[in-house]
Amino acid sequence: MVFSEINVMLLGWECLFCLVAAVSMMEGRYSEKKGWLIRMQLTAALLLACDAIACYYDGRPGTATHWVLVVANLANFLLMNSVLLLFHRYLCCLLLKEGERQRLGLVKAVELVCLGAMALVVVSQFTGWYYRIDETNHYVRGPMYLLSLALPFAGLVMDGVLLLQYRERVSRRMFRVMTAFFLLPLAAAVVQMFSHGLSLIDLSVGAAMLLIYLIVNREQQAELRQAQEERAVVAQRLEIAQTLNRCVEKLSSGEDISTAIRDLLWIIKEYFQADRAYIFENDPVRRVTVNTYESVEPGVEPQIENLQEVPMEVLSMWMNQFRRGKKYFIANIEQEKETPHYKIIKDQDIQRLLTVPLLEQGQVIGFLGVDNPQRHFEDETLLSSLQFFVTNSLRQKKEQEYLQQLSFTDQLTGLYNRNRYNRTLQLWQEDCQNQVGILYIDLNGLKQVNDTRGHAAGDKLIRDTAGVMEQIFPGQAYRIGGDEFVVICQGTPEPEFRAQAAQLIEQTGRQGISLSMGLLWNPQCPDLPAALKEAD
């Protein structure tokens, strides 16, 4: 009696679990695999309920009890084979593609075995082959009871062969739980051949359903996490792509390259939520690297003026990484205490930074970086993707400056030419200067030198004159004609300017160069063309 009560209680609890499992699986997105699992859980719950009823009423007197036992035991045998058939369908859905299910003979054989077993259960109801309910309402095994176990056993074996054949299509965890579904009922069937105490087969089916639910739920959670991670990766890649498009659009907008690069750094700074984004360019001759562009967050002190001549030896660890095409990432500045760059980074109040090399023909020409990034700081994808575009823009900028230099430079003397002279006049209207000294100079005797000694000697005379001018007035002298020069000196007090003019006359005189010079100094000069005319 005690065994009967324990049996009923265990069957009842497993029935309840299968119902709860079925209901919980109904939530969320429906799939074919989930559909077979839900049917299997519901059928297993009904199986366990029927077995519990049969056990509870077994041996109790009464005609009504007799019919309850007949129906419950019939349902029990039918449902057992139904669970196996549903498990087979789930296994096929898990392992096989649609075409394979229809083509494999083993799949059809298992279904035929299950359907044949259910047909024999119905026949047994009238013949007593499998079992009968005696006069005292006790369940009694029939002469062919072993056949009722052998047919499901054969179906399970064939499903086991199918699982082994396609085991690489499921995870190791799922393979183990599927194996448990085979082994638990088979082991229970062997024991139940010799024992009537507990409904071991049905209880093993319930336990197997528990394992399947737990593992499937765990795998679904893992798939959900993976899907979320993949969505996060896709979202990050999309953000990188959108940011990259904005950056490339800025660089190819046709506006001034320097302005475009600064706008680009602002976008990069916003993407990383950094304090500062910047570009350094290397000067291999002087062995220094120079901060040429930066974008800073409001409230953050700019550093570009403090980082104009950084010795490459200080950043030797960075350069070694850059030569290998790798980033240099500082997660925590305190971990860099023993490095040569620690002090210069610490003095800028930098706790974390990310930098990537700028490469041109395999050579490191500089680097692109961000200070104190708050997000994406371990992913250099955006910076690395921009490396080519930034390098190309810097090259274009240098070419542009070189062409501008050519257009503004007199090829014979190296002084500014008339183009730069006209540009200076134009800019003066926008921003006039105070304390302006002007020299209007003619080189005497140039025609005579050309006529008597040749144009090579005349060119030398012009170059010698320009050399003295550039020495005394660096970056302030213009050659505006064959023998005409102009000096525009801004922000120089009058005594100093007149001393420089006298020095020019003295030095050219020592070289045998004769100059005619008009000098003018104004504390204020709102009209530069008028002042130049007066000096002329």
Side-chain angles (χ1 to χ4, degrees):
M1 188 65 181
V2 174
F3 275 113
S4 177
E5 291 175 355
I6 293 173
N7 197 40
V8 171
M9 182 182 66
L10 291 175
L11 291 167
W13 277 110
E14 287 193 350
C15 171
L16 181 61
F17 167 78
C18 289
L19 286 174
V20 172
V23 172
S24 67
M25 284 191 291
M26 291 178 185
E27 298 179 359
R29 187 170 59 88
Y30 181 83
S31 66
E32 186 181 3
K33 284 190 295 186
K34 182 185 282 190
W36 289 117
L37 273 176
I38 293 171
R39 295 185 191 99
M40 192 162 53
Q41 292 284 4
L42 290 173
T43 305
L46 191 55
L47 165 68
L48 294 164
C50 290
D51 200 357
I53 291 171
C55 290
Y56 180 78
Y57 284 103
D58 187 61
R60 295 178 184 270
T63 304
T65 299
H66 174 81
W67 287 109
V68 168
L69 288 169
V70 169
V71 173
N73 279 284
L74 174 62
N76 191 27
F77 276 84
L78 288 173
L79 291 168
M80 171 59 72
N81 288 284
S82 298
V83 169
L84 295 177
L85 180 59
L86 292 171
F87 172 76
H88 169 71
R89 296 280 177 84
Y90 171 72
L91 187 66
C92 290
C93 186
L94 189 67
L95 298 176
L96 306 174
K97 300 175 183 177
E98 184 65 33
E100 292 175 326
R101 293 181 228 170
Q102 298 173 356
R103 188 172 63 252
L104 286 177
L106 194 59
V107 172
K108 297 177 181 178
V110 176
E111 293 187 355
L112 288 174
V113 167
C114 291
L115 293 173
M118 284 189 278
L120 287 175
V121 168
V122 176
V123 172
S124 174
Q125 182 64 28
F126 302 101
T127 60
W129 288 350
Y130 288 171
Y131 69 91
R132 62 185 177 84
I133 307 301
D134 66 11
E135 304 83 26
T136 59
N137 282 344
H138 280 93
Y139 169 85
V140 179
R141 290 178 178 176
M144 299 179 65
Y145 172 74
L146 292 180
L147 181 62
S148 68
L149 301 178
L151 289 175
F153 178 85
L156 279 175
V157 169
M158 286 187 283
D159 274 339
V161 171
L162 194 65
L163 178 62
L164 288 173
Q165 187 175 355
Y166 295 96
R167 63 176 299 176
E168 73 280 355
R169 297 187 181 182
V170 293
S171 66
R172 186 175 301 178
R173 188 184 298 118
M174 183 59 74
F175 176 78
R176 288 171 182 168
V177 77
M178 291 293 104
T179 303
F181 190 91
F182 300 132
L183 297 181
L184 285 176
L186 292 177
V190 172
V191 175
Q192 197 157 316
M193 288 181 190
F194 310 100
S195 172
H196 293 272
L198 295 174
S199 300
L200 293 178
I201 296 178
D202 289 355
L203 289 172
S204 68
V205 170
M209 297 304 300
L210 167 63
L211 288 174
I212 289 177
Y213 172 75
L214 293 176
I215 296 303
V216 168
N217 187 61
R218 186 171 177 178
E219 291 216 333
Q220 286 177 343
Q221 292 298 323
E223 289 175 1
L224 180 61
R225 285 194 300 271
Q226 183 179 356
Q228 290 172 340
E229 291 171 359
E230 289 175 353
R231 282 197 295 270
V233 170
V234 170
Q236 183 176 347
R237 288 177 178 172
L238 179 61
E239 185 180 6
I240 290 174
Q242 291 173 337
T243 306
L244 183 61
N245 286 339
R246 289 176 61 200
C247 292
V248 174
E249 183 179 348
K250 277 293 179 185
L251 292 178
S252 59
S253 62
E255 63 181 340
D256 176 69
I257 294 177
S258 294
T259 302
I261 291 176
R262 282 189 285 270
D263 290 343
L264 163 78
L265 291 178
W266 178 268
I267 295 172
I268 292 173
K269 178 180 65 64
E270 292 298 300
Y271 172 80
F272 285 97
Q273 291 183 0
D275 289 350
R276 181 170 173 263
Y278 45 82
I279 292 173
F280 277 72
E281 295 182 68
N282 293 348
D283 185 340
V285 176
R286 293 186 297 146
R287 298 290 299 164
V288 297
T289 186
V290 180
N291 188 180
T292 50
Y293 296 93
E294 75 170 358
S295 175
V296 297
E297 189 72 6
V300 176
E301 184 178 353
Q303 296 294 329
I304 191 168
E305 296 299 329
N306 304 324
L307 299 169
Q308 288 303 296
E309 301 286 337
V310 182
M312 285 193 184
E313 290 76 12
V314 175
L315 302 180
S316 58
M317 296 175 63
W318 301 30
M319 295 303 163
N320 288 336
Q321 286 288 93
F322 293 160
R323 290 186 193 100
R324 294 195 292 267
K326 295 182 179 181
K327 67 180 179 182
Y328 195 87
F329 173 58
I330 298 177
N332 187 338
I333 186 60
E334 298 307 319
Q335 297 174 356
E336 307 275 317
K337 277 190 173 181
E338 304 303 320
T339 63
H341 57 259
Y342 173 77
K343 186 178 186 306
I344 193 171
I345 300 298
K346 185 69 174 178
D347 289 347
Q348 296 176 63
D349 196 26
I350 297 171
Q351 299 301 317
R352 177 193 298 134
L353 65 78
L354 173 65
T355 57
V356 299
L358 297 175
L359 302 170
E360 189 170 49
Q361 297 181 347
Q363 300 297 315
V364 180
I365 65 167
F367 57 90
L368 170 66
V370 289
D371 290 342
N372 296 327
Q374 301 300 313
R375 57 196 294 261
H376 306 311
F377 47 81
E378 291 184 346
D379 184 5
E380 74 277 17
T381 304
L382 177 66
L383 294 183
S384 297
S385 300
L386 284 170
Q387 187 268 139
F388 167 79
F389 300 101
V390 173
T391 301
N392 187 55
S393 295
L394 293 176
R395 184 173 63 253
Q396 288 181 6
K397 176 65 175 175
K398 289 181 179 178
E399 291 173 352
Q400 189 181 78
E401 290 174 348
Y402 175 70
L403 292 174
Q404 187 178 61
Q405 181 184 0
L406 289 179
S407 67
F408 284 170
T409 303
D410 178 62
Q411 298 303 301
L412 179 62
T413 64
L415 301 179
Y416 289 138
N417 61 12
R418 179 169 284 278
N419 289 336
R420 180 58 184 263
Y421 173 74
N422 292 333
R423 177 66 172 163
T424 300
L425 296 181
Q426 179 184 356
L427 293 175
W428 199 274
Q429 297 175 354
E430 302 172 4
D431 184 20
C432 61
Q433 303 291 322
N434 296 328
Q435 290 190 328
V436 179
I438 298 173
L439 296 179
Y440 211 102
I441 301 168
D442 283 343
L443 177 59
N444 298 328
L446 177 62
K447 185 177 185 304
Q448 182 180 359
V449 171
N450 285 334
D451 291 343
T452 61
R453 297 166 54 191
H455 285 280
D459 289 347
K460 183 177 184 304
L461 178 61
I462 293 171
R463 284 196 299 269
D464 291 343
T465 305
V468 178
M469 288 184 183
E470 181 63 23
Q471 179 184 353
I472 299 173
F473 298 101
Q476 298 170 313
Y478 303 78
R479 184 188 180 206
I480 60 174
D483 57 358
E484 289 183 289
F485 300 86
V486 168
V487 172
I488 302 174
C489 192
Q490 304 173 21
T492 303
E494 184 177 8
E496 181 180 343
F497 176 66
R498 288 187 178 276
Q500 289 175 314
Q503 184 182 2
L504 175 62
I505 295 294
E506 179 185 353
Q507 289 192 19
T508 53
R510 284 202 300 264
Q511 296 182 33
I513 300 172
S514 174
L515 301 178
S516 297
M517 183 170 66
L519 182 151
L520 179 70
W521 186 91
N522 282 331
Q524 295 181 338
C525 187
D527 190 349
L528 182 61
L532 286 163
K533 184 176 181 181
E534 183 179 348
D536 184 22

